[in-house]
């Protein structure tokens, strides 16, 4: 809804002061009655609208729930999330992402849901996506890179999420290779990168991000209560979802842009800054052998670099690591 987006943009810009119905109507190219109707709609969404005769309109409070409007309000990005779809309940935001991407939807389009009934993890696993307790989001990307470099997008996304969470909540997460966000040995977020590609060209990527925000332990299914956590469990307080989404999109846009311009080196360094168990020993089960190794960091292609106790270095792609 472009008129609504423009209206929010105008109200946001005038922020503390009133903006007249006349000015809004001229800027948006709609009648003053239509402006008034939009204001009523915003009120229904939970915004507090002040309407004062001869002064105009002002927004004095916004709802703390997720909607296209609350995410747009205060979004500081150039392209990420400029087009945004929000649903109360979907099977999976990934499914909608694929449908939109196949229709040619622009890069940076975001799909958000309050709840997913069939949230997807990697390799056919499930992602538990309870109602309004977390961020369930997909972003459509069209990176001009070779398909085999796509894992780098996953790694840079993990960095953006870690940094956004850290800057807003003051708690420092770890990135567990390849793409989990951890707090104290428990998973708080996951990333699912699904790609449609030809030999030497990516048509699109649907980048899925799932973050547990306000769940208590008892809100999580029993089978993950020992392994999962949420930002609320780490910080002891509830978090508004919209500012977190905004921060993640802003950090993501910065890292993605930087990566396309300057390559992976800066991302690698940041990733290792947050890397889980770097410098520590783990047990590795590779296809032909089992061994103890120290985690060194990541390689350009996204592999996990380890050093065996007998001195040899290995790049791991799919080995099982007993963290
Ligand atoms: P993954 O395969 O690394 O993790 C899935 C595993 O994590 C599950 O098998 C289960 O053990 C555990 N798990 C399931 N749900 C949760 C949860 N809420 N918190 C912690 N652990 C859990 C990670 O896959 C990728 C997840 C991406 C999810 C996003 S949400 C938006 C988008 N839409 C969609 O359907 N998937 C992505």
């Amino acid at each position: 809804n472009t008129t609504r987006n423009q209206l929010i943009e105008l109200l946001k810009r005038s922020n503390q002061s009133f903006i007249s119905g006349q000015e809004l109507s001229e800027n948006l190219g709609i009648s003053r009655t239509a402006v008034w109707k939009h204001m009523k709609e915003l009120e229904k969404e939970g915004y507090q609208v002040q309407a004062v005769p001869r002064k105009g309109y002002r927004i004095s409070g916004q709802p703390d729930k997720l909607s296209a409007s609350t995410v747009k309000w205060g979004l500081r990005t150039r392209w990420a999330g400029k087009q945004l779809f929000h649903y109360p309940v979907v099977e999976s935001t990934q499914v909608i992402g694929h449908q939109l991407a196949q229709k040619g939807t622009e890069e940076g389009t975001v799909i958000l849901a309050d709840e997913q009934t069939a949230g997807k993890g990697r390799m056919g696993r499930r992602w538990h996506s309870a109602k309004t307790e977390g961020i369930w989001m997909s972003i459509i990307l069209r990176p001009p890179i070779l398909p085999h470099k796509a894992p780098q997008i996953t790694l840079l996304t993990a960095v953006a999420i870690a940094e956004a969470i850290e800057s807003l909540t003051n708690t420092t997460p770890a990135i567990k290779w390849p793409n989990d966000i951890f707090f104290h040995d428990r998973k708080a977020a996951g990333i699912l990168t699904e790609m449609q590609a030809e030999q030497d060209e990516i048509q699109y990527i649907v980048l899925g991000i799932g973050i547990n925000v306000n769940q208590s332990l008892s809100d999580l299914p029993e089978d993950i209560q020992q392994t999962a956590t949420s930002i609320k469990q780490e910080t002891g307080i509830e978090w508004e979802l919209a500012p977190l989404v905004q921060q993640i999109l802003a950090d993501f846009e910065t890292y993605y842009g930087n990566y396309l311009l300057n390559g992976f080196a800066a991302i690698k360094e940041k990733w290792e800054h947050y890397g889980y168990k770097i410098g520590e020993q783990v047990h590795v089960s590779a296809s032909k052998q089992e061994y103890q190794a120290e985690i060194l960091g990541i390689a350009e292609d996204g592999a996990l670099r380890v050093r065996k106790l007998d001195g040899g270095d290995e790049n791991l792609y799919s080995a099982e690591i007993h963290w």
Side-chain angles (χ1 to χ4, degrees), residues 5 10 16 46 49 111 114 122 126 137 141-142 145-146 150 155-156 165-166 182 189 194 244 249 280 283 306 310:
N5 292 343
L10 287 168
Q16 294 313 315
V49 177
I111 303 107
D114 292 335
R122 290 175 299 147
R126 277 303 185 86
M137 162 162 90
L141 301 172
R142 303 184 183 279
I145 58 171
L146 291 170
L155 297 169
L156 82 84
I165 291 177
E166 181 172 42
F182 260 51
E194 294 182 313
L244 264 168
L249 290 176
E280 293 181 38
H283 186 81
V306 299
D310 63 19

Side-chain angles (χ1 to χ4, degrees), residues 40-57:
K40 287 286 150 207
E41 287 300 313
L42 283 179
E43 268 181 343
K44 272 193 215 147
E45 277 188 33
Y47 286 85
Q48 282 156 278
V49 177
Q50 284 179 288
V52 177
R54 278 183 299 279
K55 278 179 140 183
Y57 297 100

